[in-house]
Amino acid sequence: MENIKSSFLFFTLAILPACSLLESDIKEINSIQEVKSVFEQATQDDLFVFDIDQVLLEPEDIPLQPRFYENPKLKKIFDDFDTFIKTKNNSEEYRKLTFSKSMLQCKIQPIEKALIDNILAIKKRNIKVIAFTAYHTGKFGLIERLEEWRYELLLSLGLDFSASFVPKEIMFDELQKTEHAVKYKYEKRCDPSPTIFYKGIICTLFPKGVALKAFLEKIKYKPKCVYFFDDKPKNVESVVEEMKKMGIRCQGFVYQAATINRSAGDLDIEIAQLKYELMKQREDYVSYFEAKRILAQRLKMDNKNKLKPTQGTP
């Protein structure tokens, strides 16, 4: 909009639907505030689709947050923990048990509260909203249904997308017979879990554009415009491409608020190291904050011992 110098042209564009306001099909944004007008101008004919991890939410546990994924010291801690798991009998089942405990106990927080507020505002206006996650479905360790666990996580943030579409649960068995399933099996050496739409959440291991297209065709719904938010450019490109094939206008946003302009100073590697050492000892989830408390107690005790007089001192 900065290049528009004619006030008349600016006014003309301002009264068009929000999809028409955008200069390209894909935009990178660092904060939801950059596209506040998209939410304000959306209509009931539009569909909003949000990735879950790194868009709607992230773990409260600091070492698990995406802004630290490239930290080499933290990566070494993760690698050492992975090596520890591999020493266990039936290591794959042990891995599922260990990570499912962490998933069930680790608290989550919104990436931006403003995004949650904007979603709740458009829901009140009866605009359709769903979530997307590149995740397995079905049982995983202690979790009976990963799709149900995902739904409960969103509920904890006050987000419930189950009212946007019926039925509440749809299986996409046809995707298991596509080239995408063949490719997944070749690369991962296992069959992909089924794609499921569960209470407003599409859970899939296939390209997100392919899964969204299958969903819209299955329920015979064609929105006027799709707004798609994801932290990974390839997912945004996939959705924009498939929506074009369907003749649906689509604006994709590469949403980087989870990693851009966020401090790295609140990660203490010593605490992270202790967290995973305690998890090895207890064979249970230990939060970063519990490890921080334990380390502080140890340091306090060490300081007390240093202050004690040695034997024979007058």
Side-chain angles (χ1 to χ4, degrees):
M1 296 300 292
E2 293 176 356
N3 296 328
I4 299 173
K5 298 180 180 179
S6 166
S7 59
F8 174 76
L9 182 55
F10 180 87
F11 174 77
T12 302
L13 288 173
I15 63 175
L16 292 176
C19 256
S20 301
L21 282 170
L22 302 157
E23 296 170 358
S24 67
D25 294 332
I26 298 176
K27 282 185 169 291
E28 291 186 0
I29 59 173
N30 298 336
S31 170
I32 207 64
Q33 301 292 0
E34 296 174 35
V35 290
K36 187 176 180 181
S37 62
V38 169
F39 291 86
E40 293 172 345
Q41 299 176 39
T43 73
Q44 292 181 7
D45 296 322
D46 298 328
L47 172 64
F48 280 76
V49 185
F50 296 93
D51 178 35
I52 295 180
D53 294 312
Q54 284 71 261
V55 172
L56 294 178
L57 58 84
E58 67 179 0
E60 283 188 359
D61 207 321
I62 292 174
L64 301 179
Q65 293 174 3
R67 57 193 166 123
F68 300 115
Y69 283 175
E70 302 302 319
N71 185 302
K73 294 180 179 179
L74 191 57
K75 186 177 184 302
K76 185 179 184 306
I77 292 173
F78 291 154
D79 289 343
D80 289 345
F81 190 70
D82 188 63
T83 300
F84 163 77
I85 289 176
K86 289 176 180 176
T87 65
K88 295 293 183 177
N89 293 330
N90 201 350
S91 61
E92 189 54 36
E93 288 305 311
Y94 186 85
R95 182 187 304 278
K96 291 179 182 179
L97 179 64
T98 299
F99 284 105
S100 64
K101 285 180 180 179
S102 296
M103 290 157 67
L104 289 169
Q105 296 180 59
C106 182
K107 296 180 180 179
I108 54 103
Q109 63 189 18
I111 299 294
E112 282 190 294
K113 186 178 182 299
L115 174 55
I116 307 300
D117 293 340
N118 278 309
I119 292 173
L120 294 175
I122 60 174
K123 276 174 54 64
K124 285 182 180 178
R125 291 159 50 202
N126 294 319
I127 295 173
K128 296 184 183 301
V129 187
I130 61 173
F132 225 134
T133 183
Y135 227 77
H136 295 270
T137 55
K139 185 174 174 59
F140 180 77
L142 298 175
I143 301 173
E144 286 301 317
R145 296 190 72 185
L146 284 166
E147 54 271 30
E148 174 68 24
W149 168 72
R150 280 301 205 193
Y151 175 72
E152 295 292 338
L153 282 184
L154 292 181
L155 275 185
S156 71
L157 294 180
L159 297 175
D160 184 355
F161 302 142
S162 62
S164 288
F165 294 100
V166 292
K168 302 297 185 187
E169 185 167 350
I170 304 172
M171 296 280 291
F172 297 90
D173 295 330
E174 63 271 22
L175 291 179
Q176 300 297 105
K177 303 170 185 177
T178 64
E179 62 197 50
H180 304 290
V182 174
K183 181 181 179 182
Y184 183 93
K185 187 172 183 178
Y186 176 77
E187 292 177 348
K188 306 293 184 180
R189 299 291 187 262
C190 64
D191 291 320
S193 57
T195 295
I196 296 176
F197 174 75
Y198 182 81
K199 294 184 179 179
I201 306 169
I202 299 176
C203 307
T204 187
L205 295 174
F206 299 125
K208 289 188 174 180
V210 172
L212 182 57
K213 181 174 181 286
F215 169 70
L216 294 176
E217 289 176 341
K218 178 84 79 173
I219 64 172
K220 296 179 171 59
Y221 173 65
K222 188 174 182 178
K224 187 174 183 179
C225 183
V226 169
Y227 297 101
F228 178 67
F229 295 78
D230 199 293
D231 63 304
K232 295 181 173 58
K234 69 174 184 177
N235 292 337
V236 178
E237 292 164 5
S238 169
V239 168
V240 169
E241 180 183 351
E242 294 299 326
M243 293 303 97
K244 281 186 177 180
K245 291 178 183 178
M246 297 182 71
I248 298 173
R249 294 187 327 196
C250 181
Q251 177 64 47
F253 297 97
V254 181
Y255 178 67
Q256 304 176 99
T259 55
I260 298 296
N261 299 326
R262 295 188 65 185
S263 170
D266 50 352
L267 172 66
D268 186 316
I269 289 297
E270 187 177 4
I271 296 172
Q273 181 73 57
L274 178 59
K275 164 187 164 68
Y276 284 94
E277 289 302 323
L278 291 170
M279 287 178 64
K280 291 177 188 177
Q281 296 169 19
R282 300 181 184 181
E283 297 192 331
D284 200 356
Y285 171 72
V286 176
S287 77
Y288 177 84
F289 304 103
E290 182 179 358
K292 182 178 181 179
R293 178 181 57 78
I294 291 172
L295 182 60
Q297 288 177 338
R298 289 181 180 180
L299 291 173
K300 186 177 180 180
M301 186 63 67
D302 288 344
N303 289 333
K304 277 187 177 180
N305 291 335
K306 287 178 183 178
L307 294 172
K308 286 181 180 179
T310 57
Q311 282 188 344
T313 302

